[in-house]
């Protein structure tokens, strides 16, 4: 931060003024975006009232892949997120997968980008909670759909979100004031070992 070519970070729906149903919180407009922190996460938080939800977070991450050039043939692609934490206080074993994104700009995130993340898997299979590492790179192998969304001449625009509840539009089993998260480092971490 300040980004010059691409951006990564998280987009968030904070339920306001009261907690919301799962259907509402995943479909309503975003309320906040963060693109200058050193971490980003797929996250859900329940409220104290039965079957009400307080917060959802999704990841957006862009890559400058213009060096490939139009003549390139993409035969394989892996998107890697360096894990920094995970937790499952809701005890619902959340999964995570890669999707496309269409943020308003390539160099900043805004709250409305919350609704600019796709629902078609770019890998063909979500990563399980057990597989996600909170200490090393988590590699997502892109399938033919995902490889087709790698730009050869510009910016490749991807995202990560919870697959089995957020994308599936299926409410997790509720428990009061609990969370789950799958957290990754952003490019704002100093140095290059976690980019």
């Amino acid at each position: 931060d300040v980004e010059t070519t691409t951006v990564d970070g998280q987009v968030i729906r904070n339920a306001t003024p009261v907690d919301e149903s799962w259907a509402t919180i995943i479909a309503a407009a975003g309320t906040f975006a963060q693109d200058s922190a050193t971490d980003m996460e797929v996250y859900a938080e329940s409220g104290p009232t039965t079957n009400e939800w307080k917060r959802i977070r999704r990841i957006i991450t862009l890559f400058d892949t213009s060096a490939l050039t139009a003549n390139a043939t993409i035969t394989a692609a892996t998107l890697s997120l360096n894990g920094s934490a995970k937790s499952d206080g809701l005890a619902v074993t959340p999964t995570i997968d890669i999707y496309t994104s269409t943020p308003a700009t390539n160099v900043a995130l805004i709250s409305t980008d919350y609704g600019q993340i796709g629902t078609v898997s770019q890998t063909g299979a979500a990563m399980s909670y057990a597989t996600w590492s909170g200490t090393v790179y988590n590699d997502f192998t892109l399938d033919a759909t995902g490889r087709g969304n790698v730009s050869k001449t510009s910016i490749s625009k991807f995202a990560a979100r919870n697959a089995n509840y957020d994308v599936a539009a299926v409410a997790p089993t509720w428990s009061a004031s609990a969370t789950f998260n799958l957290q990754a480092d952003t490019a704002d971490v100093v140095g290059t070992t976690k980019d």
Side-chain angles (χ1 to χ4, degrees), residues 19 22 44-54 88-93 171-180:
D19 296 340
W22 187 257
E45 180 179 351
S46 62
T49 302
T50 303
N51 294 327
E52 296 290 302
W53 300 86
K54 184 180 295 292
D88 186 16
L90 280 162
V92 294
T93 56
T173 301
W174 177 90
S175 55
S177 303
T179 66
F180 69 65

Short mmCIF file of all heavy atoms in Angstrom, two decimals, residues 19 22 44-54 88-93 171-180:
data_model
loop_
_atom_site.label_atom_id
_atom_site.label_comp_id
_atom_site.label_asym_id
_atom_site.label_seq_id
_atom_site.Cartn_x
_atom_site.Cartn_y
_atom_site.Cartn_z
N ASP A 19 -27.96 -7.67 13.75
CA ASP A 19 -27.49 -8.88 13.07
C ASP A 19 -28.53 -9.37 12.07
O ASP A 19 -29.71 -9.02 12.16
CB ASP A 19 -27.17 -9.95 14.10
CG ASP A 19 -26.02 -9.55 15.00
OD1 ASP A 19 -25.25 -8.65 14.62
OD2 ASP A 19 -25.90 -10.12 16.10
N TRP A 22 -28.48 -15.50 7.54
CA TRP A 22 -27.38 -15.90 6.66
C TRP A 22 -27.66 -15.47 5.22
O TRP A 22 -26.78 -14.92 4.55
CB TRP A 22 -27.15 -17.40 6.75
CG TRP A 22 -25.93 -17.84 6.00
CD1 TRP A 22 -25.90 -18.46 4.78
CD2 TRP A 22 -24.57 -17.69 6.42
NE1 TRP A 22 -24.60 -18.71 4.41
CE2 TRP A 22 -23.76 -18.25 5.40
CE3 TRP A 22 -23.96 -17.16 7.55
CZ2 TRP A 22 -22.38 -18.27 5.48
CZ3 TRP A 22 -22.57 -17.17 7.64
CH2 TRP A 22 -21.80 -17.73 6.62
N ALA A 44 -16.39 -15.74 9.13
CA ALA A 44 -17.79 -15.56 9.48
C ALA A 44 -17.90 -15.42 10.98
O ALA A 44 -17.15 -16.07 11.73
CB ALA A 44 -18.65 -16.72 8.99
N GLU A 45 -18.85 -14.58 11.42
CA GLU A 45 -19.07 -14.36 12.85
C GLU A 45 -20.56 -14.36 13.14
O GLU A 45 -21.33 -13.65 12.50
CB GLU A 45 -18.46 -13.03 13.28
CG GLU A 45 -18.63 -12.72 14.74
CD GLU A 45 -17.99 -11.40 15.13
OE1 GLU A 45 -17.27 -10.80 14.30
OE2 GLU A 45 -18.22 -10.96 16.27
N SER A 46 -20.95 -15.16 14.10
CA SER A 46 -22.36 -15.23 14.49
C SER A 46 -22.66 -14.16 15.54
O SER A 46 -21.77 -13.69 16.25
CB SER A 46 -22.69 -16.61 15.06
OG SER A 46 -21.92 -16.85 16.22
N GLY A 47 -23.93 -13.80 15.64
CA GLY A 47 -24.37 -12.89 16.67
C GLY A 47 -24.88 -13.63 17.88
O GLY A 47 -24.92 -14.87 17.90
N PRO A 48 -25.33 -12.92 18.90
CA PRO A 48 -25.83 -13.56 20.11
C PRO A 48 -27.26 -14.09 19.98
O PRO A 48 -27.69 -14.90 20.80
CB PRO A 48 -25.77 -12.44 21.15
CG PRO A 48 -25.90 -11.18 20.35
CD PRO A 48 -25.22 -11.46 19.05
N THR A 49 -27.98 -13.63 18.94
CA THR A 49 -29.36 -14.06 18.75
C THR A 49 -29.41 -15.27 17.83
O THR A 49 -28.72 -15.31 16.81
CB THR A 49 -30.20 -12.91 18.15
OG1 THR A 49 -30.12 -11.78 19.03
CG2 THR A 49 -31.65 -13.32 17.98
N THR A 50 -30.22 -16.25 18.14
CA THR A 50 -30.31 -17.50 17.39
C THR A 50 -30.45 -17.25 15.89
O THR A 50 -31.31 -16.49 15.45
CB THR A 50 -31.50 -18.34 17.88
OG1 THR A 50 -31.35 -18.57 19.28
CG2 THR A 50 -31.56 -19.67 17.15
N ASN A 51 -29.57 -17.91 15.13
CA ASN A 51 -29.58 -17.87 13.66
C ASN A 51 -29.39 -16.48 13.07
O ASN A 51 -29.78 -16.22 11.93
CB ASN A 51 -30.86 -18.51 13.10
CG ASN A 51 -30.93 -19.99 13.40
OD1 ASN A 51 -29.90 -20.67 13.44
ND2 ASN A 51 -32.11 -20.51 13.65
N GLU A 52 -28.74 -15.61 13.82
CA GLU A 52 -28.39 -14.28 13.31
C GLU A 52 -26.87 -14.18 13.19
O GLU A 52 -26.12 -14.79 13.96
CB GLU A 52 -28.92 -13.19 14.24
CG GLU A 52 -30.45 -13.14 14.33
CD GLU A 52 -31.08 -12.64 13.04
OE1 GLU A 52 -30.77 -11.53 12.61
OE2 GLU A 52 -31.88 -13.40 12.45
N TRP A 53 -26.44 -13.38 12.20
CA TRP A 53 -25.02 -13.31 11.85
C TRP A 53 -24.55 -11.87 11.84
O TRP A 53 -25.27 -10.97 11.42
CB TRP A 53 -24.78 -14.01 10.51
CG TRP A 53 -25.19 -15.44 10.60
CD1 TRP A 53 -26.44 -15.96 10.40
CD2 TRP A 53 -24.37 -16.53 11.00
NE1 TRP A 53 -26.45 -17.31 10.64
CE2 TRP A 53 -25.19 -17.69 11.01
CE3 TRP A 53 -23.04 -16.65 11.34
CZ2 TRP A 53 -24.70 -18.95 11.36
CZ3 TRP A 53 -22.55 -17.90 11.68
CH2 TRP A 53 -23.37 -19.03 11.69
N LYS A 54 -23.30 -11.66 12.26
CA LYS A 54 -22.76 -10.32 12.47
C LYS A 54 -21.82 -9.86 11.35
O LYS A 54 -21.81 -8.70 10.98
CB LYS A 54 -22.01 -10.28 13.80
CG LYS A 54 -21.47 -8.93 14.22
CD LYS A 54 -20.76 -9.00 15.56
CE LYS A 54 -21.71 -9.34 16.68
NZ LYS A 54 -22.68 -8.25 16.94
N ASP A 88 -11.83 -22.43 14.09
CA ASP A 88 -13.19 -22.90 13.82
C ASP A 88 -14.00 -22.94 15.11
O ASP A 88 -14.44 -23.99 15.56
CB ASP A 88 -13.16 -24.27 13.14
CG ASP A 88 -14.53 -24.74 12.68
OD1 ASP A 88 -15.46 -23.90 12.61
OD2 ASP A 88 -14.68 -25.95 12.41
N GLY A 89 -14.20 -21.75 15.69
CA GLY A 89 -14.97 -21.66 16.90
C GLY A 89 -16.42 -22.05 16.72
O GLY A 89 -17.10 -22.42 17.69
N LEU A 90 -16.92 -21.98 15.48
CA LEU A 90 -18.29 -22.41 15.19
C LEU A 90 -18.41 -23.93 15.05
O LEU A 90 -19.51 -24.46 15.03
CB LEU A 90 -18.78 -21.74 13.90
CG LEU A 90 -19.26 -20.30 14.02
CD1 LEU A 90 -19.28 -19.62 12.65
CD2 LEU A 90 -20.64 -20.25 14.66
N ALA A 91 -17.28 -24.60 14.91
CA ALA A 91 -17.24 -26.07 14.74
C ALA A 91 -18.06 -26.51 13.53
O ALA A 91 -18.86 -27.43 13.60
CB ALA A 91 -17.73 -26.77 16.01
N VAL A 92 -17.81 -25.84 12.39
CA VAL A 92 -18.56 -26.16 11.16
C VAL A 92 -17.65 -26.57 10.01
O VAL A 92 -18.10 -26.72 8.88
CB VAL A 92 -19.45 -24.97 10.75
CG1 VAL A 92 -20.54 -24.73 11.77
CG2 VAL A 92 -18.62 -23.70 10.51
N THR A 93 -16.35 -26.73 10.25
CA THR A 93 -15.35 -27.13 9.25
C THR A 93 -15.51 -26.40 7.91
O THR A 93 -15.86 -27.01 6.90
CB THR A 93 -15.33 -28.65 9.02
OG1 THR A 93 -16.64 -29.10 8.66
CG2 THR A 93 -14.87 -29.38 10.27
N ALA A 171 -26.72 -21.91 5.44
CA ALA A 171 -26.31 -21.37 6.74
C ALA A 171 -25.56 -22.42 7.55
O ALA A 171 -26.01 -23.55 7.67
CB ALA A 171 -27.53 -20.88 7.51
N PRO A 172 -24.43 -22.04 8.15
CA PRO A 172 -23.75 -22.97 9.06
C PRO A 172 -24.60 -23.22 10.30
O PRO A 172 -25.49 -22.43 10.63
CB PRO A 172 -22.47 -22.21 9.45
CG PRO A 172 -22.38 -21.04 8.53
CD PRO A 172 -23.75 -20.74 8.05
N THR A 173 -24.31 -24.28 10.98
CA THR A 173 -24.95 -24.50 12.27
C THR A 173 -24.56 -23.35 13.20
O THR A 173 -23.39 -23.05 13.37
CB THR A 173 -24.51 -25.84 12.88
OG1 THR A 173 -24.86 -26.89 11.99
CG2 THR A 173 -25.16 -26.07 14.23
N TRP A 174 -25.58 -22.70 13.76
CA TRP A 174 -25.35 -21.50 14.56
C TRP A 174 -24.98 -21.83 16.00
O TRP A 174 -25.52 -22.77 16.59
CB TRP A 174 -26.61 -20.64 14.54
CG TRP A 174 -26.53 -19.40 15.38
CD1 TRP A 174 -26.11 -18.16 15.00
CD2 TRP A 174 -26.88 -19.29 16.77
NE1 TRP A 174 -26.16 -17.29 16.06
CE2 TRP A 174 -26.64 -17.95 17.15
CE3 TRP A 174 -27.37 -20.20 17.71
CZ2 TRP A 174 -26.87 -17.50 18.45
CZ3 TRP A 174 -27.59 -19.75 19.02
CH2 TRP A 174 -27.35 -18.41 19.36
N SER A 175 -24.03 -21.09 16.52
CA SER A 175 -23.80 -21.04 17.96
C SER A 175 -23.49 -19.59 18.30
O SER A 175 -23.01 -18.84 17.46
CB SER A 175 -22.68 -21.99 18.40
OG SER A 175 -21.49 -21.71 17.69
N ALA A 176 -23.77 -19.18 19.50
CA ALA A 176 -23.75 -17.76 19.86
C ALA A 176 -22.35 -17.16 19.85
O ALA A 176 -21.41 -17.72 20.43
CB ALA A 176 -24.38 -17.56 21.23
N SER A 177 -22.23 -16.02 19.15
CA SER A 177 -21.02 -15.17 19.21
C SER A 177 -19.74 -15.98 18.99
O SER A 177 -18.80 -15.93 19.80
CB SER A 177 -20.98 -14.43 20.55
OG SER A 177 -22.15 -13.65 20.72
N ALA A 178 -19.71 -16.71 17.88
CA ALA A 178 -18.54 -17.53 17.55
C ALA A 178 -18.08 -17.19 16.13
O ALA A 178 -18.80 -16.53 15.37
CB ALA A 178 -18.88 -19.01 17.66
N THR A 179 -16.89 -17.64 15.76
CA THR A 179 -16.32 -17.30 14.45
C THR A 179 -15.64 -18.51 13.83
O THR A 179 -15.31 -19.48 14.51
CB THR A 179 -15.26 -16.19 14.57
OG1 THR A 179 -14.13 -16.68 15.31
CG2 THR A 179 -15.82 -14.95 15.24
N PHE A 180 -15.42 -18.41 12.49
CA PHE A 180 -14.42 -19.23 11.84
C PHE A 180 -13.58 -18.32 10.96
O PHE A 180 -14.04 -17.27 10.52
CB PHE A 180 -15.01 -20.41 11.05
CG PHE A 180 -15.79 -20.09 9.80
CD1 PHE A 180 -15.19 -19.52 8.67
CD2 PHE A 180 -17.14 -20.41 9.71
CE1 PHE A 180 -15.90 -19.26 7.52
CE2 PHE A 180 -17.88 -20.15 8.56
CZ PHE A 180 -17.25 -19.57 7.46
#
